[in-house]
Amino acid sequence: MNLDLPLNEYTYVAFDTETSGAYPVGYDVVEFGAVKWHKGQEVGRLQFLLKPREMMTEFIIGIHGITNEMVVDAPTMAEKIREVHEFFKGAIVMAHHAPFDLGFIAAEFEKAILPLPTEPALCTSLLSRKWIHGVENHKLQTLVKHLNLDGGQAHRAYDDAKSCLFVAQACFEKMGAEMTLSQAIKSQGKSLWWKDYSLLALNDTRFSNLKTAIYSKKDIDMIYSGGSKKGETRRITPIGIVRNPDGDYLQAFCHQEKVAKRYYLNRIGEVEVVY
């Protein structure tokens, strides 16, 4: 893909996910929203609720307001993922805190045996830090207020996706008409590609065991080459796997320390599922 055309030459899909928890593999998307934009026009949109594998907690419901009753008759992501894949085709995707959303959707694409898109992604959180100044923070709702945007209902997928698009447009305006996509990617400080969120790429037996344990809700005994108990076997309950530009990690509950913590994948040694 040619990344050196002016920004207005591309088709963009701004999208957002609301989820049943914070970590891919262990949790599910419960609402997906997206808006497609080309040369100043909205040319498509998607929005739907999705039924997760398990009931959501009151804490999670309090974040996005999507209740278990609202999704009880909703389709599963497996039923909608091909529609999402087709909607993304050929577009530059963008999301606010894009690594979070990319991680969940990439996992769903791979479960459905769909190829990951080859186009790069933009993160409006990162872009706004470079191009939008004079705000107390760069949360999406703070930027919506600062830019006097109609943000709709916060933490609902389609409204947040459209807000993300508007924030991107505000950044593009500050960049200037001659800015290319490659320059915009450089300005956000990190290159974000779908392939970097692949779980299938973690094809080592250790990581296969981690995924198996998460899906089957089993504990694991793991040797970890970090922390105060370096090199010792520890029993944990794995919660989710996060591919992250700053270091891929496993989120898990440590039985010894009685706390949830992250374990970086490059420090994980032998892994055994406890049956």
Side-chain angles (χ1 to χ4, degrees), residues 4 208 216:
D4 294 318
S208 297
S216 61

Side-chain angles (χ1 to χ4, degrees), residues 214-228:
I214 294 170
Y215 283 127
S216 61
K217 297 194 172 301
K218 300 293 185 182
D219 293 337
I220 62 171
D221 287 333
M222 177 185 77
I223 295 176
Y224 188 66
S225 63
S228 60

Side-chain angles (χ1 to χ4, degrees), residues 84-99:
V84 173
H85 192 267
E86 185 65 27
F87 194 77
F88 280 165
K89 193 169 291 183
I92 308 301
V93 299
M94 56 176 66
H96 206 71
H97 300 299

Side-chain angles (χ1 to χ4, degrees), residues 1-7 10 12 92 120 122 127 175 178-191 193:
M1 182 180 196
N2 184 0
L3 304 183
D4 294 318
L5 299 176
L7 287 168
Y10 299 91
Y12 299 92
I92 308 301
L122 294 174
L127 287 175
M175 293 177 196
E178 300 305 312
M179 178 75 85
T180 66
L181 178 59
S182 61
Q183 291 170 326
I185 292 171
K186 185 176 181 179
S187 81
Q188 73 181 2
K190 296 176 181 177
S191 294
W193 298 87

